[in-house]
Amino acid sequence: MSSGIFIQHLINGLSLGSLYALIAIGYTMVYGILLLINFAHGDVFMMAGYFMMVTMAGMGLPVYLSIPLVLLMTVLLGMLLERSAYKPLRDAPRMSIMISAIGASYLLENLAIYIFTGVPKGYPNIPFLTKVVQFGSVSFQLVTVVTPIITVFLLLALMFLVHRTKMGMAMRAVSKDYETARLMGIKINRVISTTFGIGSFLAAIGSILWGAKYPSIFPLVGVMPGLKCFIAAVFGGIGNIPGAVLGGLILGITEPMLIAFFPKMTGYRDAFAFALLIIMLIVKPTGLLGEKTTDKV
Amino acid sequence: MDKKIKFLCTVCLVAVAVIFLFAVDRGHLGSPYVKRILNLSAIYAIVSVSMNLVNGFTGLFSLGQSGFMAIGAFSVAVFTIPKASIKSIFYVEPMAPWLVEMRLPFVAAILIGGLIAAVLALLIGYPVLRLKSDYLAIATLGFSEIIRIVLTNMPTITNGAFGIKRIPPITSMFTVFGIAALCIGIMMLLINSSYGRAFKAIREDNVAAEAMGINLTLHKELAFSVSAFFSAIAGGLYASFLTTIDPKQFYFTLTYNFLLIVVLGGMGSVTGTVLASFVITYGLEWLRFFDSPLMIGNIPVPLFRPGLRMVIFSILLMLVVLFFRKGIMGTKEFSWDGIYFWFKDKKYRGLLKRKAGRKAGGSGA
């Protein structure tokens, strides 16, 4: 394999990994606070894609108007989801909340099938992102380099939010001890809502970048990225934001590399992430950057 | 209630069920469509009860059912298709020669499927069952996806993504219902045995159960692999029910159907689960009219078009989960005593109310 092709794969992997990271952050934040897998996160990502399609292709809005609109709609969707599917079960057993999450994911998928039919549709073209750039033997779309930059920027912004602002302090408090935080007068519901909002915001950005890269959208488009990003979050240590980015990058880089070096494994592409997850859970259940937790009796 | 009366009631119920099945099977009652729905419900009941064994009784959140079903389904498909049609089904890549020679009767094929699933569950269970709820859920879900992907990538055995057609069907409802009754019966025996009590203890409190001397690994493994075994049996029935299968049908979303049945029936109730599997399978068919265009007079109602059925279904699911969390039966089982006292209770509760009215403090009951 020539170095040109290797670099090409590396850049693609880095870009895919950053995309995974953006979505994985949404999982990790919700897990950190509510201790539950937000099964519907992948579907929020999918809905963001459809919002983009509706605003750009359907309503004919220009890009600079439709992107903020999509971000806003997705954030509202995420918050609505939390309000309707998670909030009523705040004090219910964990299993009920997880089932509710699965139900919510199912509902969003069926809603998308109902409204937009199951037929894959083309994602609207964003010329800025899909422009092809040539560097010697390496060529890529602009989105490939833009994605890691955006991810790094958002990661820094998020770290600032979590460690330097009052809301971030509240988030950390809630994730440490939910009950005590409530007793200390932290408005739990507002913190959780904000967390979902931020997660959905990142999913929406991920969706726009994803759409530029893979310009096809269908109701189940969010399922596989959703699961893989959850795996990335677990891999990096769930509840840990840099961990999610690290996990996303590792998964995003190794997956295409595996296929590039072992073309015979192509059919096992989706199995790879799951195998990685099971191995990780066995070897180090808390993930790469996770802390060890002790059981409370 | 007297034991004799209870026994009599049970005998009557079984007799009515058998006569009903006979009538439907022979076409005296209902239609082939009703027959299909009933058969499907019985198959779903097996998977759901097996899922409840792990999720409801042992308290482990497992989402691997569709993978185990796929193993059973493909085992039946691969071993029972007649030799004559193998060539036309495996037209892309021929079936492995050693497998072509291995034609087995249905019972052997379905049992092999079950055993493979059970052994795989044992192997995967050992590391995975130590994990806690969410991790276990995602690991089992991942495992079921791995099974599906591996099945897709074994063209000489499973015909890959093309799937297998012309699987010999089961024609008699008595076979399906007989197998279902047998499977559910065995699981009920297990649940009512000392192992079952240990399962429930693990569900209630992991740590306390261990402190009482219950071997956690052993019991979790047992529940998990028994569940896998019966899921695979149901998968085998499913294959011969559909006569055409491909790996895509066993996508992990299939598991969600059974999860819904378990939730609606009541986590920790076998009879509730069986009831729910009939209610939900029938309900899903009944909702079908939402999918076809509806005309009131000459005006078409705009909302009615394909896809609405599943939206309504998932909204109903959410409503059940949010507001009706215990399901139909909670952790109770159907019993004649239950029915008897339910009727008697109405009177009894009325009496209590009157009593409470008289004594301002209310009664302790």
Side-chain angles (χ1 to χ4, degrees), chain A residues 31 35-37 39 84-86 88-89 91-116 220 223-224 227 230-231 234 238 266-272 274-275 277-278 281-282 285-286 293 295-297, chain B residues 54-56 59-61 63 124 127-128 130-143 145-146 148-150 153-154 205 207-208 251-253 256-257 259-260 263 267 302-315 317-318 321-323 325:
Chain A
Y31 196 95
L35 291 179
L36 95 117
I37 308 173
F39 272 101
S84 49
Y86 298 116
L89 296 175
D91 297 313
R94 288 270 289 281
M95 213 185 259
S96 304
I97 309 176
M98 275 173 76
I99 293 164
S100 173
I102 289 175
S105 144
Y106 208 41
L107 177 61
L108 281 179
E109 280 161 22
N110 285 320
L111 214 57
I113 293 175
Y114 174 61
I115 299 173
F116 304 105
L220 296 180
V223 175
M224 258 308 146
L227 280 174
F230 176 75
I231 293 171
V234 173
I238 196 136
T266 311
Y268 292 96
R269 186 186 174 126
D270 290 338
F272 169 69
F274 289 114
L277 169 80
I278 291 176
L281 286 177
I282 295 165
T286 48
T293 50
D295 255 339
K296 273 182 264 183
V297 181
Chain B
V54 176
N55 291 26
L60 303 163
F61 198 80
L63 289 175
I124 190 70
V128 162
R130 282 178 306 175
L131 302 168
K132 282 207 295 284
S133 56
D134 309 70
Y135 290 121
L136 180 65
I138 205 86
T140 46
L141 190 151
F143 183 61
E145 272 297 278
I146 291 177
R148 191 180 65 83
I149 292 164
V150 169
N153 286 291
M154 293 200 304
D205 194 330
V207 182
Y251 206 53
F252 66 86
T253 42
Y256 293 175
N257 289 347
L259 184 65
L260 165 65
V263 172
M267 290 214 141
L303 280 175
F304 284 67
R305 61 160 188 250
L308 183 61
R309 176 176 77 113
M310 289 314 285
V311 174
I312 290 176
F313 178 69
S314 33
I315 290 174
L317 163 65
M318 284 308 288
V321 174
L322 291 177
F323 303 112
R325 221 179 305 151

Side-chain angles (χ1 to χ4, degrees), chain B residues 227-256:
Chain B
S227 159
F229 178 81
F230 286 111
S231 297
I233 297 278
L237 278 174
Y238 193 58
S240 66
F241 169 75
L242 293 175
T243 70
T244 303
I245 54 162
D246 72 84
K248 266 220 181 93
Q249 285 163 339
F250 299 98
Y251 206 53
F252 66 86
T253 42
L254 182 68
T255 307
Y256 293 175

